[in-house]
């Protein structure tokens, strides 16, 4: 696997959950890591810069600080994201706009600010964090899923427009055992039950997503751009498997 020594990796939302694991993984691989989020954590991985990714001016200021301090960016992991759950019928307008501002426009802003800081001869890479909600809707994810679907499209457009200088890919996780998801499911036991319903028999850990990011940003993935890498433990076993005698857990009873 590529050593990232001498390379600068920026991880948005790198203070919690998946982003923190991604930041730690790049740091362990030798990268100089910069994490961006709104709130400074008690102990940041790498250099922390406060920025609201949904605010174009704040993103620009953060990348100006990165340019001043480090002079370049080799890897950008656009991990900051998420949206409040809710049915489409009465989803509040402000929340819908916020979801697109963060999950789509925030990624565009960060990518635009990163591009001029990448080496002209190539080797730089962007990894966006999507979600299976972008391709497989489930109740309560209408706006979030639409935003992640837009992100998948943005990934492919940037990959076309910015080759060969910057490769652009998307990691597409299923459920990942973070504090926020555990709270969403109502606690660790309920979350574990959901994990048991996956073909792999467990939910992904943040480190599973970090490993996928490291691969996509590495020289081993030098010909991979515009790709979506699913990290979803095999997906969901189809409902028609229920009672069919097919091996594996019964997804229809998990989490209920
Ligand atoms: N967990 C899952 O099951 C799962 C599954 C599929 C995809 N994903 C995706 O994976 C990514 C990370 O999810 P997670 O569960 O690890 O989230 P998380 O634990 O809630 O952490 C979110 C991180 O993003 C930062 N952030 C949030 N809003 C921000 C903003 N406006 N500007 C800057 N930073 C912001 C947070 O810090 P501050 O609040 O201090 O800003 C925090 O560092 C998201 O894109 C999410 O959609 C998650």
């Amino acid at each position: 696997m590529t050593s990232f020594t001498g390379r600068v990796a920026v991880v948005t939302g790198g203070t919690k959950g998946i982003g923190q694991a991604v930041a730690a993984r790049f740091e362990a691989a030798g990268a100089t890591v910069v994490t961006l989020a709104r709130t400074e954590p008690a102990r940041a991985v790498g250099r922390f810069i406060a920025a609201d990714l949904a605010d174009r001016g704040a993103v620009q200021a953060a990348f100006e600080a990165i340019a001043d301090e480090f002079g370049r960016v080799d890897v950008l992991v656009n991990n900051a994201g998420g949206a409040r759950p809710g049915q489409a019928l009465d989803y509040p307008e402000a929340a819908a706009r916020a979801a697109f501002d963060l999950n789509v426009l925030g990624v565009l802003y960060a990518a635009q600010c990163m591009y001029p800081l990448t080496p002209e001869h190539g080797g730089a890479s962007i990894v966006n964090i999507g979600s299976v909600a972008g391709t497989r809707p489930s109740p309560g994810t209408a706006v979030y899923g639409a935003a992640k679907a837009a992100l998948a499209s943005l990934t492919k457009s940037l990959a076309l427009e910015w080759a060969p200088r910057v490769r652009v890919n998307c990691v597409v996780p299923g459920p990942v055992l973070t504090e926020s998801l555990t709270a969403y499911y109502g606690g660790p036991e309920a979350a574990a039950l959901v994990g048991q319903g996956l073909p792999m028999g467990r939910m992904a850990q943040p480190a599973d997503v970090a490993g996928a990011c490291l691969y996509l940003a590495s020289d081993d993935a030098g010909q991979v751009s515009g790709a979506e890498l699913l990290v979803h433990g095999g997906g969901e076993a189809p409902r028609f498997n229920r009672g069919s005698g097919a091996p594996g857990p019964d997804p229809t009873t998990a989490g209920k």
Side-chain angles (χ1 to χ4, degrees):
M1 181 61 80
T2 311
S3 163
F4 285 82
T5 302
R7 305 191 197 190
V8 177
V10 177
V11 183
T12 73
T15 58
K16 274 192 241 167
I18 294 170
Q20 189 179 42
V22 171
R25 192 66 175 265
F26 276 95
E27 193 171 67
T32 299
V33 171
V34 181
T35 51
L36 306 181
R38 290 166 302 178
T39 316
E40 182 159 14
R43 278 193 9 188
V45 179
R47 168 90 163 84
F48 172 80
I49 298 175
D52 181 346
L53 266 294
D55 176 344
R56 179 73 173 80
V59 176
Q60 182 145 357
F63 276 85
E64 281 167 9
I66 293 166
D68 287 348
E69 195 168 336
F70 303 106
R72 61 187 285 163
V73 177
D74 301 278
V75 178
L76 168 64
V77 181
N78 282 307
N79 162 79
R84 62 179 273 180
Q87 301 285 325
L89 185 61
D90 53 3
Y91 202 87
E93 181 186 348
R97 291 190 182 279
F100 277 81
D101 281 348
L102 178 59
N103 292 281
V104 186
L105 295 181
V107 171
L108 178 66
Y109 302 151
Q112 287 172 328
C113 292
M114 177 242 199
Y115 185 89
L117 302 178
T118 59
E120 281 178 30
H121 56 76
S125 165
I126 295 174
V127 182
N128 297 324
I129 307 296
S131 168
V132 293
T135 51
R136 182 203 36 75
S138 55
T141 63
V143 170
Y144 176 62
K148 291 297 193 184
L151 176 60
S153 176
L154 178 63
T155 300
K156 294 186 180 86
S157 292
L158 294 182
L160 274 174
E161 291 185 11
W162 292 0
R165 179 162 163 168
V166 182
R167 293 183 301 104
V168 189
N169 291 293
C170 198
V171 170
V172 182
V176 183
L177 205 52
T178 57
E179 268 178 41
S180 50
L181 195 77
T182 302
Y184 173 74
Y185 282 126
E189 283 167 19
L193 268 177
V194 176
Q196 284 166 25
L198 297 174
M200 293 300 285
R202 68 169 179 90
M203 230 184 254
Q205 295 286 339
D208 293 312
V209 180
C213 293
L214 197 78
Y215 162 68
L216 286 173
S218 76
D219 297 342
D220 291 341
Q223 189 63 3
V224 182
S225 196
E228 292 177 75
L229 178 51
L230 285 160
V231 181
H232 67 349
E236 269 178 316
R239 278 182 173 264
F240 56 72
N241 270 356
R242 176 154 66 157
S244 69
D250 180 348
T252 59
T253 55
K256 291 187 179 159

